[in-house]
Amino acid sequence: QVQLVESGGGLVQPGGSLRLSCAASGSIFSISDMGWYRQAPGKQRELVAGVARYGTTDYGDSVKGRFTISKDNAKNTVYLQMNSLKPEDTAVYYCNVVSVRGRYWGQGIQVTVSS
């Protein structure tokens, strides 16, 4: 049994910052990839950022230069630092973890950027 616990979402003004966390627990190990996806109402789910086993990162074009993904392997936790937030960043953000045992998704956490 694997649990992904997301935290850090909420309401923020344009230009502000938020930091999302996703902690994986349970029967999970040998993680190869960790990342964040998001889905806004009426839009497709898109990759926000991902980090591979040895630290290689990937970002969606819309967040490059503003968001930073990082991880703590000892804690099986992935973070997403979001700076210079825009209203277009408003979405439900989903944590994703890939390991040899399977793919796992968080329940989703709301991020709202509004003045």
Side-chain angles (χ1 to χ4, degrees), residues 1-4 24-34 53 73-76 97-104:
Q1 295 182 333
V2 175
Q3 298 175 347
L4 300 183
S25 63
S27 301
I28 186 170
F29 45 87
S30 298
I31 294 173
S32 59
D33 301 279
M34 306 182 79
R53 181 181 299 168
N73 290 329
K75 297 180 179 179
N76 286 332
V97 174
V98 180
S99 77
V100 296
R101 290 185 175 270
R103 296 179 176 179
Y104 308 96

Side-chain angles (χ1 to χ4, degrees), residues 61-74:
D61 289 340
S62 64
V63 308
K64 289 179 179 177
R66 299 187 297 119
F67 292 9
T68 303
I69 190 169
S70 61
K71 63 177 180 178
D72 184 332
N73 290 329

Side-chain angles (χ1 to χ4, degrees), residues 53-91:
R53 181 181 299 168
Y54 298 111
T56 302
T57 57
D58 187 33
Y59 295 92
D61 289 340
S62 64
V63 308
K64 289 179 179 177
R66 299 187 297 119
F67 292 9
T68 303
I69 190 169
S70 61
K71 63 177 180 178
D72 184 332
N73 290 329
K75 297 180 179 179
N76 286 332
T77 299
V78 62
Y79 306 93
L80 184 67
Q81 179 67 45
M82 304 184 293
N83 298 326
S84 301
L85 283 161
K86 305 175 181 179
E88 303 93 280
D89 297 316
T90 296

